[in-house]
Each structure stands twice: as C-alpha cells, then as structure tokens.
Amino acid sequence: MIARHEIYPDTADKKKALVLFGSPRQNGYTSQLVHEFTRWLEPHYDFITVDAYREKISPCTACGYCEKKEGCCIKDFERIHGLLCSSDLLIVASPIYNLSFPAPLKAILDRMQRYFSARFSLNIRPPIKKHKRSALLLTSGADCDEGAAVMRRQLEMIYTVINATLEQQVIWKNTDRASALEPLTDEVRRAALSFLIE
C-alpha cells in the first residue's frame, strides 16, 4: 500500500494525489488494483492514502451545522478536508458491496454533505477552490456493472461540489473466482497515464 502521511511532502516538482481506500483488506484485490494504477504515476505524484477502515470517520448526523457555518461540528474530517483542498488527483478505490461503497468509505462520502451546504446554503462557490481530476477503481466479486454504475453516479453528484471531474474508471470483475489482474493491466496503464496529459 502507498504512503499514509498526514500531509503532502513539500516537493514542488510533483503533483498531489489522494487515495480514498475503501477495502478492509490491506493486500486484497482492491489494493492490487491501486498498486498497479499508481505505479505508473509515482514519478510524477506524491500520494497519500486515507484508509476508510482505519480512519473511522463518524457518519453524518444531518445536524444542520454546515447549513449555518462553513465546516462540520464533528472534527474527525478535518485532515481529509485539507487533503481534498490541496490534491490534484483523487483516486477512489473500493470493492463493491451491495451495489455501493462499504460503510466506512460511504461515511466519508456522506460527510461531504458539508460542501453541498457550503454551496447551496452559504453560497460558497466553489466550496473547494482547487480543481482535481479523478479515477474510480473498483473490484467486484461478480461479473456485473450495476454496482459500478450506482457508485459512479454517487461520485458524480459529490464531484459537482468538490470541484472534481471523474475521468477514468477501471473495474476488476469476477474476483470471487480469483480472476487474474493481468488481462486488465493494459487498461489500467492507459487509464493511469492519461493523468500525465494536461
């Protein structure tokens, strides 16, 4: 797994990439897919991984705080907020659970309600100033695209308020049958290298 620093290194020659990692397995299929994707970008990006299972972000409680003040009354999201504000590339990597994100990663995504409130209640446009490009990396036990479509739609909604554009998506299917990554490596490489093109 790639680095889990608290802040990005001060390397002016590299862009900044944030990985939101949603698998409970540190060396499972999702981790393998992330590694294959990021290895093409490591000379050009500094990476930080937010591991949703280790981060233990509290769920949104719909308390209304962010409709009146910028931010959130629950302070466990502040590091992720800072990373979102400074990143150039956002990689969301997750297995598909019941056509959606696993609960710990879904909690992180739901806490981005603060940005909807900032935009629509507080008229802060955009809530995050720095634009970021994004890739969605998914693993699926089944040979099915339905969950990926649901997850992509969720991200596209969130991206309207965090100033991000979803540019690439890779799905590794049939992992319940221990399928190999090799047939996907060319697709993964092409998707990764697209982020080196301005």
Side-chain angles (χ1 to χ4, degrees):
M1 181 59 66
I2 55 182
R4 291 189 184 84
H5 307 293
E6 290 296 311
I7 59 173
Y8 287 109
D10 187 17
T11 49
D13 60 326
K14 287 189 175 184
K15 293 185 176 180
K16 300 172 180 9
L18 172 61
V19 180
L20 296 181
F21 184 74
S23 174
R25 297 181 178 176
Q26 296 301 301
N27 299 300
Y29 293 110
T30 304
S31 180
Q32 292 174 52
L33 183 56
V34 170
H35 176 74
E36 180 63 25
F37 187 91
T38 57
R39 75 184 184 93
W40 298 100
L41 299 175
E42 285 174 351
H44 308 278
Y45 284 86
D46 283 319
F47 287 91
I48 290 184
T49 297
V50 169
D51 184 324
Y53 279 83
R54 293 187 179 188
E55 206 76 18
K56 294 181 169 46
I57 295 297
S58 299
C60 176
T61 62
C63 68
Y65 178 96
C66 60
E67 295 173 5
K68 300 174 182 64
K69 293 181 66 175
E70 188 175 7
C72 182
C73 67
I74 308 171
K75 299 307 178 187
D76 59 5
F77 193 82
E78 291 311 298
R79 183 175 80 94
I80 297 174
H81 169 70
L83 294 170
L84 283 170
C85 288
S86 57
S87 64
D88 301 287
L89 172 61
L90 174 60
I91 299 168
V92 179
S94 178
I96 298 174
Y97 281 12
N98 296 308
L99 304 182
S100 190
F101 297 97
L105 181 53
K106 185 63 164 60
I108 290 174
L109 297 175
D110 287 348
R111 288 287 296 281
M112 294 186 191
Q113 176 61 35
R114 63 186 282 174
Y115 305 119
F116 286 94
S117 295
R119 178 172 174 180
F120 295 108
S121 296
L122 303 178
N123 201 32
I124 301 170
R125 296 170 183 257
I128 294 179
K129 292 184 171 42
K130 188 174 189 179
H131 180 260
K132 57 201 89 289
R133 305 167 74 187
S134 179
L136 175 59
L137 307 179
L138 298 173
T139 55
S140 171
D143 185 5
C144 174
D145 292 317
E146 189 177 0
V150 170
M151 295 161 83
R152 182 184 182 99
R153 183 67 189 103
Q154 290 179 61
L155 281 189
E156 287 173 339
M157 177 81 65
I158 293 166
Y159 284 6
T160 65
V161 293
I162 67 166
N163 201 4
T165 305
L166 182 55
E167 296 185 10
Q168 296 290 341
Q169 175 178 301
V170 178
I171 310 170
W172 183 1
K173 301 178 187 178
N174 287 315
T175 57
D176 282 352
R177 296 170 181 81
S179 66
L181 180 58
E182 282 70 23
L184 275 180
T185 53
D186 282 346
E187 179 184 349
V188 174
R189 176 181 55 82
R190 286 193 299 271
L193 292 178
S194 72
F195 292 101
L196 301 182
I197 301 170
E198 295 297 331

